[in-house]
């Protein structure tokens, strides 16, 4: 008998992340929206993960749509951090590093494209991270949204998937449960010591490092050579005027030198 996605996800969370509560949907508009609704209507116990087999209004960064057909991985991990939002600003880079560490355990090497893209070595997008924060009296609630192409159909010209990369042994239900526990540890590490523990590994996986880039940041367009990330998570760019640190922005062009 085939086990359903929801049943298998519950089994794997009991095995790998027993302190997490979870809500599983076969289909939902967006796990981000569902997480917010859970937080406002119920006394949901944290940490909590909302996970869906498919989304019909998945949200990407900068208001983009995140296409979420069956077979992909779509989850929002809700955790509480004893820190204010400003101190957590570089945490999305830590999430990317944690995802890369987990894939590496399965023999899959991925790259990280500042700020929040997960890439295969051939420069195609494998997944993305969307983090939203909800300030509370003495803590910050983090909604860590993660979308990864696993077995879903993709446009292979621009995207890759866990399956297209040949990582046949990774199952999304188990992978998602293992990630929950790793994210909790990553958050504790980040609150105590920022990106320090992951900076070296982030650099080795830095997709933009040494490439010629163009970035839209606010009303500015910055061009130069990517020179890694700072210890606080800014992207360093060598421009004709010297080094600039970019805290938020959107990469509009990337070229090999
Ligand atoms: C990006 O634009 O690269 C970030 C994409 C994040 C998509 C995930 S899928 C699970 C969660 N629910 C959403 O609606 N979005 C995030």
């Amino acid at each position: 008998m085939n086990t359903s996605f929801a049943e298998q996800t519950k089994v794997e969370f009991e095995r790998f992340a027993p302190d997490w509560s979870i809500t599983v949907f076969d289909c939902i508009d967006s796990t981000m929206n569902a997480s917010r609704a859970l937080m406002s209507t119920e006394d949901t116990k944290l940490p909590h993960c909302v996970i869906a087999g498919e989304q019909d209004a998945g949200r990407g960064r900068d208001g983009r749509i995140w296409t979420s057909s069956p077979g992909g991985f779509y989850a929002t991990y809700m955790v509480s951090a004893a820190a204010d939002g400003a101190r957590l600003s570089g945490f999305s880079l830590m999430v990317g590093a944690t995802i890369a560490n987990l894939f590496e355990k399965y023999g899959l090497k991925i790259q990280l494209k500042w700020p929040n893209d997960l890439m295969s070595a051939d420069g195609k997008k494998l997944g993305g991270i969307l983090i939203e924060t909800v300030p509370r009296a003495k803590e910050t609630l983090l909604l860590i949204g993660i979308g990864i192409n696993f077995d879903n159909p993709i446009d292979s010209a621009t995207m890759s998937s866990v399956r297209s990369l040949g990582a046949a042994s990774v199952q999304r239900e188990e992978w998602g449960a293992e990630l929950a526990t790793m994210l909790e540890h990553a958050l504790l590490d980040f609150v105590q010591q920022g990106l320090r523990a992951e900076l070296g590994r982030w650099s080795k996986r830095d997709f933009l490092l040494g490439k010629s880039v163009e970035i839209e940041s606010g009303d500015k367009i910055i061009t130069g050579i990517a020179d890694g990330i700072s210890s606080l998570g800014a992207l360093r760019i060598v421009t004709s005027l010297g080094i600039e640190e970019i805290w938020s922005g959107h990469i509009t062009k990337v070229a090999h030198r």
Side-chain angles (χ1 to χ4, degrees):
M1 194 182 70
N2 280 346
T3 314
S4 74
F5 169 68
E7 282 164 350
Q8 192 61 36
T9 300
K10 284 176 189 154
V11 166
E12 301 297 357
F13 267 77
E14 269 159 32
R15 187 161 150 223
F16 290 108
D19 58 328
W20 282 69
S21 57
I22 61 168
T23 306
V24 189
F25 296 97
D26 287 331
C27 183
I28 188 78
D29 55 348
S30 154
T31 58
M32 302 305 277
N33 301 348
S35 298
R36 282 184 182 269
L38 273 175
M39 287 323 299
S40 59
T41 58
E42 283 176 37
D43 192 15
T44 306
K45 185 179 144 296
L46 295 182
H48 188 95
C49 182
V50 176
I51 192 157
E54 94 186 84
Q55 301 182 118
D56 54 25
R59 296 201 270 117
R61 287 200 322 277
D62 303 325
R64 288 189 294 264
I65 290 171
W66 186 259
T67 306
S68 312
S69 44
F73 179 82
Y74 315 108
T76 298
Y77 296 84
M78 283 192 282
V79 285
S80 166
D84 63 36
R87 269 194 59 210
L88 294 166
S89 71
F91 181 62
S92 69
L93 276 71
M94 191 80 173
V95 173
T98 305
I99 290 172
N101 290 342
L102 179 55
F103 273 130
E104 200 157 308
K105 206 186 115 188
Y106 286 95
L108 186 62
K109 285 194 192 303
I110 69 162
Q111 295 202 303
L112 302 169
K113 180 177 166 194
W114 183 93
N116 288 328
D117 285 343
L118 310 164
M119 312 291 288
S120 48
D122 56 2
K124 296 178 180 174
K125 185 153 167 165
L126 175 70
I129 300 162
L130 173 68
I131 297 198
E132 295 176 351
T133 55
V134 180
R136 292 193 153 173
K138 288 190 182 140
E139 53 179 25
T140 303
L141 182 62
L142 284 167
L143 307 186
I144 308 165
I146 298 173
I148 312 254
N149 299 318
F150 260 74
D151 280 315
N152 48 310
I154 50 165
D155 170 3
S156 58
T158 55
M159 300 176 101
S160 57
S161 68
V162 171
R163 230 44 87 200
S164 75
L165 294 171
S169 68
V170 197
Q171 296 307 320
R172 64 188 166 144
E173 298 90 342
E174 177 179 346
W175 187 90
E178 285 188 88
L179 184 65
T181 296
M182 288 177 71
L183 284 175
E184 252 185 307
H185 292 147
L187 179 59
L188 286 178
D189 283 353
F190 185 83
V191 169
Q192 280 167 9
Q193 47 168 343
L195 282 174
R196 205 169 309 142
E198 285 298 335
L199 211 52
R201 270 191 287 197
W202 215 100
S203 302
K204 286 199 189 111
R205 295 167 173 150
D206 186 346
F207 174 75
L208 295 176
L209 188 65
K211 289 181 179 145
S212 174
V213 294
E214 180 186 278
I215 300 153
E216 257 177 42
S217 179
D219 55 5
K220 284 201 317 188
I221 306 260
I222 299 136
T223 54
I225 307 299
D227 187 40
I229 57 166
S230 75
S231 58
L232 296 176
L235 177 65
R236 289 163 49 88
I237 302 290
V238 182
T239 72
S240 53
L241 301 173
I243 297 219
E244 281 220 35
E245 293 201 340
I246 319 287
W247 294 95
S248 66
H250 178 63
I251 312 282
T252 41
K253 282 185 199 153
V254 182
H256 287 278
R257 282 205 291 162

